[in-house]
Structures are given as structure tokens and as C-alpha cells.
Amino acid sequence: MTIKRVRKAVFPVAGLGTRFLPATKAMPKEMLTVVDKPLIQYAVEEALEAGIEQIIFVTGRGKAALEDHFDISYELETTMRERGKSLSSIESIRQQPGSPVYVRQQEPLGLGHAVWCAREIVGDEPFAVLLPDELMVGSPNFTAQMVNAYNQVGGNVIGALEVTDEETSKYGIISPGKVDGRLTEVTALVEKPAEGTSPSNLMIPGRYILQPEVMRILDAKETGAGGEIQLTDAMAQLIGRQPFHGFTFDGERYDCGGKEGFIQANLALALAREDIGPAVRKFASELLG
């Protein structure tokens, strides 16, 4: 079996961010900062560190700030250099092979539709999908761990995380087959199973490595839950036709699509910083007192 290398990653970033209004009225939710870096930059850096060469943003109206963030800012960068400083993290992203590509999702028709919008750029290659709302912290990072697993088994590899029995009804859940370390064979995908009926405790946290055949399935534009074109439904059709595994992440996940997870991520990452961690820890201790 020849396993093609994963070179491209799709970032669905067309969402309206209604859960963070009014902050997201005039700013993309992906530009919300955890400490001093936008969520989208954490996700892009994760992909690049995993060996991804081409970044594909699926955007919508009102996302100009996101595009500007990854563009050259002559005045700012010149001023920073004159002061002996740099925006090295942004500059390193810009210098990667295959600068960011932007495609538009003109209607909010679901995650599956957003991924399908990138079909012409993905072409006939396996590709990763990263949801920037999900901030993953680990070493190596989540996508790198998944790429390593994919290079062993090929096919489709989706992220997996263990949750409690009480939480399974909130998520898409993997129905498991054979287990080999952190790899679990996927026999089915169950969307938000009723309490007490979940086939496992493995939820799907917004990281995917998929074969291009999923785009052919999405071509049909079949709608599922909520009247939207669901990526989960399309992935389910690949099970049994191609190798399909879940990979359990060794690291921490922060669900920054909600306010609680977003604040937790800010606190956790701030405490881990050498420059501000001690001051933040002192303040938190006094506040909780």
C-alpha cells in the first residue's frame, strides 16, 4: 500500500462566531487571542510543525482581518526591525512553501460544505482539516502525532479524545474496533448518542486526516443534522471502504468555541509562560484566596 504524504491542510474559518458576540461583531472569532496570539495562528503553526506545506483557508464575509494577519505589514515590520524586534512567528509562516490560499464559502451550509469548498485546491491528495476553535497543546502537537500515525496505517485518521460518560451525548463519538496503542479502528461514527447508549468514550475533537474520496461524497450535497452538509456523514461512508482509525491525543484540549474553554486556555497558557506566568499565578492565588 502506497501512503501519500499529507501536504495540505484545510481551515474552515467562515463561521460567524455568535457565541462571542459582541466581541465578534466586527472581528473574526478566529482572531480572538489566547494570551498574545490569535487562535488561528496556533492552528496554523500546529499544521506547519507537522510538515504541512499548503494552508487553505475557507473564509466568508468579514474575514479580512484574518487575511491581513498573515500578510506583510510594511510599516509595522519596518518599525519593529528598527527597534531590534521582529514578528518572527508571522514571518516564518509566510515563508513556508505554498503561501496561504483563500476560498470563499458563500453560504453557511455546514462543515462538510466548508471542506468541499476547498476541493479544487486539495485535488487528488490526502489532506488535513483543523478547526481553530479547538486549541490543542502537546509535544509533539496533535496534528504531528496524527501524521505519524497516518504514515503507519494510511487511509483516514481522525482525532480522538476520551471524555466522561456524562459528556458523550455532546459530541460525535467513535464506535471502536481493534485497539493498537493510541490507534483505534473506527467501525462507525455516532453523532451525539443519547445518554447511556454511547459505543465508547472517544469523542472527535476537530482534527482530521482524510482521503480525497470524501470530496466525491460531499459532491452530492446531502444534508444531515440541522439541514446542513455534515462532514461526519461523508466520513461515515468511507468506513469499510478505506482504512479508518481514530488517534487518541496525548496532550491538553481547550474548547475555545465557548467562553469557559476560551478563558481556561488563556489562564493555562499564561501560567505556562516564563515571562508572565509567575505574576498571573500570584494574582490568581490572591483572587481565589
Side-chain angles (χ1 to χ4, degrees):
M1 178 179 64
T2 302
I3 298 175
K4 287 187 177 179
R5 193 161 67 88
V6 181
R7 301 188 313 112
K8 300 179 180 182
V10 176
F11 296 79
V13 292
L16 298 175
T18 53
R19 282 188 283 179
F20 279 92
L21 286 169
T24 50
K25 181 176 182 291
M27 180 179 70
K29 65 175 181 176
E30 297 83 12
M31 290 300 295
L32 293 171
T33 55
V34 174
V35 186
D36 55 4
K37 193 186 297 183
L39 280 169
I40 187 61
Q41 188 172 335
Y42 284 101
V44 168
E45 288 179 352
E46 178 182 331
L48 294 177
E49 289 168 13
I52 296 296
E53 295 176 4
Q54 187 167 51
I55 303 300
I56 306 164
F57 293 121
V58 181
T59 70
R61 293 180 66 231
K63 300 290 180 170
L66 187 152
E67 297 186 24
D68 288 344
H69 182 69
F70 293 101
D71 203 352
I72 294 173
S73 176
Y74 291 103
E75 299 89 345
L76 177 60
E77 293 176 29
T78 299
T79 300
M80 293 287 281
R81 275 192 287 270
E82 288 174 351
R83 295 176 180 175
K85 300 177 182 179
S86 74
L87 292 170
S88 57
S89 60
I90 295 293
E91 290 167 355
S92 65
I93 290 171
R94 207 166 49 229
Q95 291 163 5
Q96 294 292 325
S99 297
V101 177
Y102 301 90
V103 297
R104 292 287 282 257
Q105 183 188 24
Q106 295 177 322
E107 296 179 84
L109 298 178
L111 176 58
H113 180 258
V115 170
W116 176 81
C117 287
R119 67 199 180 283
E120 298 294 341
I121 304 164
V122 166
D124 192 28
E125 295 187 42
F127 63 101
V129 179
L130 291 86
L131 306 187
D133 286 358
E134 301 274 4
L135 177 54
M136 307 295 184
V137 180
S139 183
N141 69 51
F142 198 176
T143 301
Q145 292 180 31
M146 288 177 61
V147 167
N148 288 336
Y150 163 82
N151 289 336
Q152 299 172 36
V153 296
N156 304 274
V157 178
I158 61 175
L161 274 177
E162 289 189 27
V163 294
T164 64
D165 291 340
E166 294 73 29
E167 293 177 296
T168 53
S169 60
K170 302 177 186 176
Y171 302 109
I173 299 293
I174 289 171
S175 184
K178 295 178 182 177
V179 178
D180 181 9
R182 293 188 173 276
L183 276 169
T184 301
E185 181 186 12
V186 177
T187 60
L189 298 170
V190 183
E191 189 64 34
K192 297 181 180 178
E195 194 168 333
T197 67
S198 182
S200 78
N201 290 71
L202 293 175
M203 61 84 78
I204 308 165
R207 295 291 187 275
Y208 314 83
I209 294 174
L210 302 173
Q211 293 299 315
E213 284 77 11
V214 77
M215 295 294 194
R216 308 295 84 79
I217 296 169
L218 291 168
D219 277 336
K221 298 185 176 66
E222 293 179 4
T223 56
E228 296 185 334
I229 299 169
Q230 298 289 349
L231 182 61
T232 302
D233 294 342
M235 291 192 303
Q237 294 189 44
L238 295 176
I239 297 171
R241 292 160 53 181
Q242 296 178 339
F244 210 116
H245 294 85
F247 181 83
T248 305
F249 178 44
D250 181 15
E252 298 296 324
R253 169 208 180 223
Y254 301 97
D255 180 4
C256 293
K259 294 167 189 172
E260 289 181 15
F262 179 70
I263 291 168
Q264 289 165 4
N266 268 281
L267 180 59
L269 269 65
L271 288 171
R273 289 267 295 256
E274 291 183 5
D275 55 345
I276 60 173
V280 173
R281 181 171 282 101
K282 182 174 181 292
F283 170 76
S285 298
E286 292 170 353
L287 186 66
L288 297 172

